[in-house]
Amino acid sequence: MPQHTYATYCLAEEWFSLFLTDPWLEFAVELVERETPLALLNALAEQARDGHGRAVLVSGPVAAGKSVLVHNFADRALSLGMLPLSALGSKDERHLPLGVVRQLVDDAPLDPEDRARAVALIEDGVRAARCQGAGAQVDDGIVHGLCTVLLELAERCPLYIAVDDVDQADQASLTCLAYLARRLNSARVLAVFTHSGHGCDTEFRFGAGLLRQPNCHRVEVTQVSPAGVRQLVAQHLGEAIADERSADWHAYSGGNPLLVEALVRDHLGGDEAGPRYRESVLSCLRRGRPDMVRVLSGYVVLGELDNLDNLVGLSPARTTEAVHALIACGLLTMDGFRHEAARDAVVGAIDSDELARLHVRAAVLAHERGAGTEVVADHLLRAGAPADGGALEEPWALPTLEDAAAHALRDGAAGRAVDCLRLARLVCTDSLRRARITAALIRAEWSINPGVSSGRLGELVEAMRKGCLRGADALTLVRALLWHGRFEQAQEVLGHLAGSGQVMDPETATELQITRRRLRHTYPSFLAALGPRSGAGRPPTHSVSADRRLQAVSALAAVLGEGSSQEAVGVAQRVLHGTRPEELSTETVESALLTLAYSGRAERATAWCDLFLDRMQARHTPSRQARLGAVRAEIALRRGDLTDALRYAGEALATLPAISWGVTVGAPLSTLILATTAMGRYDEAQAYLDHRVPEAMFDTRYGMHYQYARARFGLATGHLEMALEDLRRCGAKLCQWGMDTPGLIPWRTDVAEVYLGLGRPDDARRILEEQSARFTVMPNRVRGTATRVLAGAGAPAHRPTLLRQAAELLQSDDGDRYELALTFADLARAYRTLGEFRRAAAAERRAVIVAADCHAEALVRGLAVESATPLPTLADGGDGLTEAERRVAAMAAVGCSNREIAEGLHVTVSTVEQHLTRTYRKLRISRRADLPSLLGGPATVDLTDARRR
């Protein structure tokens, strides 16, 4: 071998060894499914080595492995005695004349004279280009001279020339390469050019000219098949993972080797389509043509292929070409992105200003083709509010946003409605319209968090003073001001409405009547501010939904003002039955449910409330869920279900911050105080009482619930005078407001109970008789509780009869299990006082089971203490009993039968008998009656699952 040929060969080996150290190729160098193109290149290389020069155009999708193919073939070219020369086209260097040719010259092992000649020619070409400007043709002499240098080198040693991404080469280099390709017939040169064309690339003239040469061949590199992806994965992760993941990874990559590699590397890093996959997606885009980036950016905005050409400003042909290229390279299918991570990567890479511009353009196009307001509004929202207004200044923009907000509210997408209205409010310049949009925004925010809108109320009050807020929107403001306890401003707006003398449209007339009834049952102090009712009867309503809301608030006002009635209950049932999921007005449902609860139909209210809570799970409306949860808690409390009351009220306060409840915070707080007090958790109850509440709350129905709960806490903890004062104030307010009905707050019954505690039974009996005379119809729960307290005020001999009557009332479907437990406990005491110990034990047993079922721990403990005979006790833990034996003995000590103990502890009756036998032996007793004292104190076992009687 001649000396220069040997030196050339050594340089080529050094070049290829450097190539093999490329870290990206550690994965992809293992070619898969490339046997056919490698065989063709091998045959053409042998022909070129023998003096029949060949040119090859390698095309295919972006990142399909074209570069790996031609670079990998360099090793084979070396084995055939050919010298590899390489160059890489780059869009960042297209402005450098003869840049690609310079790479080939620099890569070639030329003699000093030839190198000097080639460098001089290149410098001449660069100077000429600078003088003549962009687009000037390179001098023919320079082109001929440079190609001659390479052809003379080929005479000494066959050349394998590989130009990667030739479509990105500068124009002067392309001229030289085309000239060289036309002169390869008798040269010992195999020239291989890669480009990322797919199908018919209308702009790639070099490729079209090259393919017209008789000595030129085309090699199409395709993506890897599912079997090929499996082979790649198996090579690096093993057969098991290949079987498990290769199908999915082919779907995510479309067989693109670069994306497959990224998925493998993400898997090794513990991710699924993680950071390497996203980086590779962007790498594919950087390698592709600009049209691909433009079209994919447009697709991100539209989410569909239709109308892409109009959005991105390309011809239909170029847009279609770019779409096909994106599909071919494994980023898209006809249905969208292959993986959501690919979309996220593209969205993150698009400049925010460009993304906003595209969404504005998309909104205009959508409006022009008559798309729905939701589609147009979506683009406007994503575009945001540009500094110059843009499309938002179009006359159709604000109506579009308002209509889209209305649709979103009907669909339960309150967050989207808020976004639409906030944007509309931001760009609206008309005072009247801005006030209307602000009122609509407050209504939308109300279902998410009423506290959010408090900062805008002052703006609406000012708009009202200027005459910019009218009708139903003014009533929206009244409701919000009352909620937040801003009563002076609310009274001002109410006074303005009463004195305006404006002719009311049907919507305003309906909302006025709803507001009047809302004031009647929740804010009665402000009813007078609306003035007397005008006209007779109910006004015509403007919608079915508004009519249902009016019926519901009217029924609640009637029950609170006049007491329970079958008519109000029927109205509430019909309203609940007719309310559809898409309306789910909280006020409608809440008013109807409370109508049932305050009428003594708590069981029916529970079923309805659970149904509506289930419906709300799919709708992101935290405020509505919290308010309905508070209602559910109050209903549970009235049924004596203390655990549900505690749970629902706690969840309501957790869902909606206390500050956002305004004056209505009294509803969940009062339930929590009453429930924890009944359960004997006095520290928890005190903590809830320590919560700061707005002073304005005490001028509302919610304040009366809170005051009543505080009184019950005082009664339970022995602060009788404090409890009596709270009850008297609560009763006085209810009487003043015309809402003195025991179905709401049975304050007289509790006053009687306080009197009993103070040793004033005559006063207790007097006030209970007054209540019975005044309210001839009362819910069973109220009647049963009053009868229980009345028994305590009577003679001991008469108490059992009254208490049995109370128990019968409280065991009805609409009774109260906690009050029932109290009644059985009182009955046990009454029998014990009369010396009827067997009956006392039976009543006590029933009291324990019901109280434990309610989780009224204080009552369970008290009953255990009362049933114990004062005998010497063993030290705690010194009786030798196991935990299981102690639990069985504790239940037996309060009178539970063996079967009841077995059911309560989920064991067999035989197991209970064995535990008791061992307990008697260890304690050296022979009967159950000795158990309470010898167990060392009250029995506090959990009897929740014991059989109910």
Side-chain angles (χ1 to χ4, degrees):
M1 180 182 294
Q3 186 66 30
H4 67 269
T5 305
Y6 178 75
T8 300
Y9 192 87
C10 292
L11 285 170
E13 281 190 321
E14 180 181 354
W15 172 87
F16 191 64
S17 66
L18 290 173
F19 169 78
L20 286 176
T21 61
D22 184 345
W24 183 83
L25 294 170
E26 291 176 5
F27 176 92
V29 74
E30 300 177 54
L31 297 178
V32 172
E33 298 183 341
R34 298 294 182 254
E35 294 81 6
T36 300
L38 282 173
L40 176 59
L41 287 176
N42 195 74
L44 295 174
E46 290 177 349
Q47 295 172 19
R49 182 192 58 187
D50 295 339
H52 304 288
R54 296 289 183 264
V56 179
L57 184 65
V58 179
S59 60
V62 172
K66 302 179 296 294
S67 302
V68 174
L69 176 71
V70 297
H71 290 165
N72 184 280
F73 186 73
D75 189 25
R76 235 175 252 200
L78 278 171
S79 67
L80 293 173
M82 305 185 78
L83 172 67
L85 303 180
S86 68
L88 174 65
S90 170
K91 60 183 177 183
D92 294 330
E93 297 183 6
R94 294 184 76 171
H95 65 287
L96 300 177
L98 297 172
V100 169
V101 172
R102 184 187 291 272
Q103 292 181 55
L104 292 174
V105 169
D106 290 345
D107 204 28
L110 298 172
D111 293 335
E113 293 180 4
D114 291 339
R115 183 173 298 283
R117 178 159 54 104
V119 170
L121 288 169
I122 291 172
E123 294 299 333
D124 289 343
V126 171
R127 281 193 295 272
R130 288 175 180 169
C131 294
Q132 297 174 18
Q137 292 291 327
V138 64
D139 184 82
D140 292 344
I142 294 174
V143 173
H144 176 76
L146 289 171
C147 290
T148 298
V149 170
L150 293 175
L151 291 171
E152 288 176 354
L153 178 61
E155 290 176 2
R156 298 194 296 272
C157 178
L159 299 181
Y160 170 63
I161 298 176
V163 180
D164 203 6
D165 291 337
V166 70
D167 49 317
Q168 302 293 336
D170 60 277
Q171 188 56 49
S173 292
L174 287 175
T175 301
C176 290
L177 295 174
Y179 184 91
L180 177 66
R182 290 192 293 270
R183 285 155 179 80
L184 293 181
N185 285 335
S186 58
R188 296 196 297 169
V189 177
L190 174 62
V192 179
F193 308 99
T194 74
H195 84 109
S196 296
H198 180 77
C200 179
D201 189 342
T202 56
E203 294 187 349
F204 188 46
R205 296 180 182 178
F206 174 82
L210 191 66
L211 291 173
R212 285 197 295 269
Q213 303 300 318
N215 61 343
C216 181
H217 298 262
R218 182 168 193 160
V219 172
E220 185 75 26
V221 177
T222 60
Q223 304 288 24
V224 181
S225 69
V229 170
R230 190 196 176 287
Q231 182 180 341
L232 281 172
V233 175
Q235 287 172 355
H236 295 274
L237 299 178
E239 296 290 337
I241 294 178
D243 288 338
E244 179 185 350
R245 305 299 301 136
S246 61
D248 288 339
W249 288 350
H250 183 271
Y252 301 161
S253 65
N256 183 316
L258 179 64
L259 297 180
V260 175
E261 175 207 1
L263 289 165
V264 169
R265 293 185 185 275
D266 278 333
H267 179 82
L268 291 171
D271 294 314
E272 175 71 8
R276 292 170 182 81
Y277 177 78
R278 294 191 291 270
E279 290 165 8
S280 296
V281 167
L282 298 180
S283 178
C284 289
L285 285 179
R286 285 191 293 269
R287 298 180 188 198
R289 290 180 290 118
D291 284 0
M292 292 172 63
V293 178
R294 289 175 65 179
V295 168
L296 194 58
S297 298
Y299 182 79
V300 164
V301 168
L302 285 184
E304 60 183 10
L305 299 176
D306 294 340
N307 302 303
L308 259 180
D309 52 346
N310 290 329
L311 178 64
V312 300
L314 293 174
S315 68
R318 287 179 60 183
T319 302
T320 301
E321 203 172 281
V323 169
H324 288 168
L326 289 165
I327 293 173
C329 77
L331 296 184
L332 287 183
T333 67
M334 291 302 291
D335 297 324
F337 282 93
R338 287 186 172 272
H339 196 286
E340 193 61 26
R343 184 186 186 282
D344 293 341
V346 174
V347 171
I350 302 174
D351 179 75
S352 57
D353 291 339
E354 172 63 12
L355 198 59
R357 186 193 68 77
L358 285 171
H359 277 295
V360 168
R361 174 68 178 156
V364 173
L365 292 173
H367 171 72
E368 288 176 351
R369 71 172 186 270
T373 56
E374 301 98 315
V375 175
V376 180
D378 183 64
H379 290 301
L380 292 176
L381 287 174
R382 293 176 185 274
D388 59 356
L392 290 170
E393 293 181 347
E394 297 288 341
W396 48 264
L398 284 182
T400 294
L401 289 169
E402 290 178 280
D403 187 68
H407 278 285
L409 284 175
R410 284 195 293 271
D411 294 340
R416 177 178 170 79
V418 167
D419 291 340
C420 288
L421 293 169
R422 283 179 179 170
L423 182 59
R425 179 175 176 272
L426 187 64
V427 298
C428 182
T429 56
D430 179 74
S431 299
L432 280 169
R433 188 166 198 169
R434 181 182 170 87
R436 191 181 73 210
I437 292 172
T438 303
L441 175 58
I442 289 173
R443 287 192 290 270
E445 289 175 332
W446 213 257
S447 61
I448 300 174
N449 185 347
V452 173
S453 58
S454 60
R456 282 186 276 277
L457 300 184
E459 175 189 329
L460 280 187
V461 171
E462 193 59 35
M464 181 272 300
R465 291 168 181 161
K466 294 178 180 178
C468 296
L469 190 70
R470 301 173 182 172
D473 292 334
L475 292 169
T476 294
L477 175 59
V478 169
R479 178 187 180 188
L481 290 169
L482 289 172
W483 177 282
H484 289 292
R486 295 161 67 166
F487 290 162
E488 290 184 5
Q489 289 179 321
Q491 196 138 4
E492 179 186 352
V493 179
L494 288 170
H496 176 80
L497 284 169
S500 64
Q502 297 176 354
V503 177
M504 295 184 186
D505 57 88
E507 180 183 5
T508 302
T510 303
E511 292 300 327
L512 183 61
Q513 293 305 315
I514 291 172
T515 300
R516 186 179 295 279
R517 287 157 176 78
R518 185 188 301 128
L519 293 176
R520 174 74 184 83
H521 65 61
T522 304
Y523 308 95
S525 298
F526 301 94
L527 186 59
L530 270 181
R533 288 182 57 181
S534 58
R538 211 175 63 180
T541 52
H542 67 284
S543 71
V544 174
S545 176
D547 184 65
R548 270 196 282 268
R549 190 152 49 96
L550 178 57
Q551 289 184 56
V553 296
S554 299
L556 180 57
V559 166
L560 295 185
E562 303 163 14
S564 175
S565 73
Q566 191 58 44
E567 180 183 356
V569 169
V571 169
Q573 294 262 61
R574 287 193 297 274
V575 166
L576 292 169
H577 185 75
T579 301
R580 299 186 302 274
E582 61 267 22
E583 45 180 288
L584 275 183
S585 166
T586 310
E587 185 174 33
T588 303
V589 175
E590 183 179 349
S591 299
L593 289 172
L594 291 178
T595 297
L596 294 178
Y598 297 154
S599 298
R601 272 52 169 204
E603 186 175 29
R604 296 187 204 176
T606 298
W608 280 111
C609 195
D610 288 344
L611 174 64
F612 284 108
L613 280 171
D614 286 343
R615 289 179 178 178
M616 280 191 178
Q617 291 300 317
R619 308 165 82 87
H620 182 65
T621 51
S623 173
R624 290 181 176 180
Q625 287 176 297
R627 290 171 60 193
L628 203 55
V631 172
R632 178 66 174 83
E634 185 176 352
I635 295 169
L637 186 69
R638 288 170 178 268
R639 299 187 67 194
D641 190 343
L642 303 181
T643 50
D644 270 4
L646 194 63
R647 175 167 68 92
Y648 282 107
E651 288 175 356
L653 277 179
T655 302
L656 193 64
I659 194 172
S660 296
W661 283 87
V663 298
T664 68
V665 73
L669 271 182
S670 62
T671 301
L672 287 169
I673 294 165
L674 287 166
T676 50
T677 298
M679 297 169 86
R681 303 180 187 178
Y682 301 131
D683 288 342
E684 291 181 41
Q686 184 62 62
Y688 290 124
L689 283 166
D690 289 341
H691 276 243
R692 291 187 61 183
V693 294
E695 188 63 31
M697 181 186 75
F698 293 98
D699 284 327
T700 71
R701 169 166 54 90
Y702 307 108
M704 297 305 97
H705 284 297
Y706 183 87
Q707 207 161 31
Y708 176 72
R710 190 169 63 188
R712 291 288 303 178
F713 175 78
L715 176 59
T717 55
H719 298 86
L720 301 182
E721 294 294 346
M722 182 195 78
L724 185 60
E725 182 62 24
D726 270 332
L727 289 168
R728 283 173 172 169
R729 287 181 181 177
C730 177
K733 275 283 182 72
L734 292 174
C735 291
Q736 177 189 340
W737 293 342
M739 292 169 57
D740 180 20
T741 171
L744 175 63
I745 296 176
W747 62 274
R748 290 181 179 82
T749 301
D750 293 273
V751 167
E753 198 160 5
V754 172
Y755 282 154
L756 289 179
L758 293 172
R760 298 162 58 182
D762 291 342
D763 289 335
R765 187 164 47 251
R766 174 185 53 76
I767 197 167
L768 288 172
E769 289 171 351
E770 174 190 321
Q771 177 175 267
S772 296
R774 183 166 182 175
F775 303 101
T776 56
V777 177
M778 291 186 290
N780 287 343
R781 170 179 179 268
V782 176
R783 289 171 57 205
T785 304
T787 304
R788 176 183 68 78
V789 177
L790 182 61
H798 298 153
R799 288 175 189 171
T801 301
L802 289 173
L803 289 169
R804 285 195 298 269
Q805 293 174 6
E808 186 176 350
L809 291 167
L810 293 167
Q811 286 183 102
S812 64
D813 290 342
D814 294 310
D816 182 329
R817 291 193 62 77
Y818 173 66
E819 283 292 335
L820 179 62
L822 292 176
T823 301
F824 282 139
D826 286 351
L827 185 58
R829 297 183 190 106
Y831 280 134
R832 195 178 296 117
T833 300
L834 297 174
E836 299 184 34
F837 297 111
R838 291 191 63 181
R839 288 184 174 181
E844 189 174 76
R845 183 167 62 251
R846 300 186 72 178
V848 168
I849 292 174
V850 177
D853 185 57
C854 299
H855 285 265
E857 291 98 343
L859 182 55
V860 174
R861 290 194 297 269
L863 287 167
V865 170
E866 291 175 21
S867 68
T869 304
L871 294 174
T873 62
L874 296 174
D876 186 31
D879 48 27
L881 297 182
T882 66
E883 182 61 29
E885 290 166 351
R886 182 172 291 279
R887 287 173 62 83
V888 169
M891 294 183 71
V894 293
C896 293
S897 69
N898 288 0
R899 182 169 298 280
E900 289 169 341
I901 296 170
E903 292 176 357
L905 297 179
H906 304 289
V907 296
T908 64
V909 174
S910 175
T911 301
V912 172
E913 291 171 349
Q914 292 172 29
H915 282 318
L916 285 175
T917 298
R918 286 193 293 269
T919 299
Y920 293 164
R921 186 174 63 250
K922 290 178 181 180
L923 297 180
R924 298 178 183 177
I925 61 175
S926 58
R927 56 180 185 170
R928 292 167 101 97
D930 294 333
L931 281 172
S933 60
L934 291 175
L935 285 173
T940 58
V941 296
D942 183 1
L943 305 179
T944 304
D945 296 320
R947 176 170 57 87
R948 296 179 179 180
R949 288 182 175 263

